[in-house]
Amino acid sequence: MSEIKSKYEVFKQKAHIIIYGTNTVAGRLFDLILLGLILLSVVLVMLETVKGFDAKYHAYLVFFEWVITVFFTLEYILRIITIKKPINYILSFYGIIDLIAILPMYLSFFITGTSVFAVIRALRLLRLFKILNHPQFNNQSTHLKESLIASRGKILIFMYFMLISTIIIGSIMYVVEGEASGFTSIPMGIYWAIVTLTTVGYGDISPVTPLGQFLASFVMIMGYGIIAVPTGIVSAEFAKNKPTVKESETKVCKNCGSHEHYVNAKFCQDCGHEL
């Protein structure tokens, strides 16, 4: 019994290193295969919505989708049983995404059309940030996150200003142009203002009076300047703040399976084993 238990513990330890570690050849290979299957799954779901292609190859699409779903299910189970506190993974962001990734195909037994939601698996591509867990990469991504957080106050004020501006511009265009030009209500005028300010310009509604066209020209020019404002705010914070986060990478201890050690760490922070 103890021999079987020891083999199970060895299996869990090796599986943990492969699944959660990115500094080993097997770990990186596993993650790259996983990302490849995620991309393939997303492509299959998209092809399933192409009626001509789906009508011809539906059986193959469903077969491969089930193969991928079974693989993801086994991976999800292994992620749970190979860590000391499974609840931490289950309730984590990646844990929830991993669960959502396998549910659509199983739900398709009870609710038709749910398999299309498997495209949510594209969110699992965020694991690329784990695979590219290089100190310099981590440092810069953390720096960008801190810059966005530092800019949130200015950006919120800017968004509030834009909200007020679109309401005023939309209301004026409703009064100037009226229903004859397609501005049937103030909300429709606000819609036109948003489309024009963002330089999207669908062209489904356009002013015809000289005053309306003059106002539209002013809004278009203002739109180009508005696009640069949020970028400038974040760029200024990015240039002002220097990275202060300690560099770390995913080093997995072969003795206890603990990961997330510092770059220069030579011994495991949990068991003291040499890394």
Side-chain angles (χ1 to χ4, degrees), residues 20 57 62 90 121 139 142 148 182 185 198 231 233 253 262 265:
Y20 287 96
Y57 301 104
V62 173
I90 294 172
R121 288 175 183 166
N139 212 11
T142 304
L148 288 171
S185 63
T198 54
T231 306
I233 292 173
C253 175
Y262 292 120

Side-chain angles (χ1 to χ4, degrees), residues 71-90:
F71 176 86
F72 286 158
T73 303
L74 293 174
E75 180 225 351
Y76 181 74
I77 295 171
L78 285 173
R79 286 186 181 276
I80 292 175
I81 67 175
T82 55
I83 55 176
K84 296 178 181 178
K85 296 181 179 179
I87 193 67
N88 290 344
Y89 163 71
I90 294 172

Side-chain angles (χ1 to χ4, degrees), residues 168-186:
I168 293 173
I169 293 170
S171 301
I172 293 174
M173 289 301 293
Y174 169 71
V175 173
V176 171
E177 292 293 327
E179 296 184 11
S181 301
F183 294 85
T184 55
S185 63
I186 290 179

Side-chain angles (χ1 to χ4, degrees), residues 33-52:
I33 292 173
L34 182 64
L35 289 178
L37 287 174
I38 293 169
L39 283 172
L40 177 61
S41 173
V42 173
V43 171
L44 290 176
V45 173
M46 289 190 293
L47 289 175
E48 195 175 345
T49 62
V50 181
K51 293 183 179 179

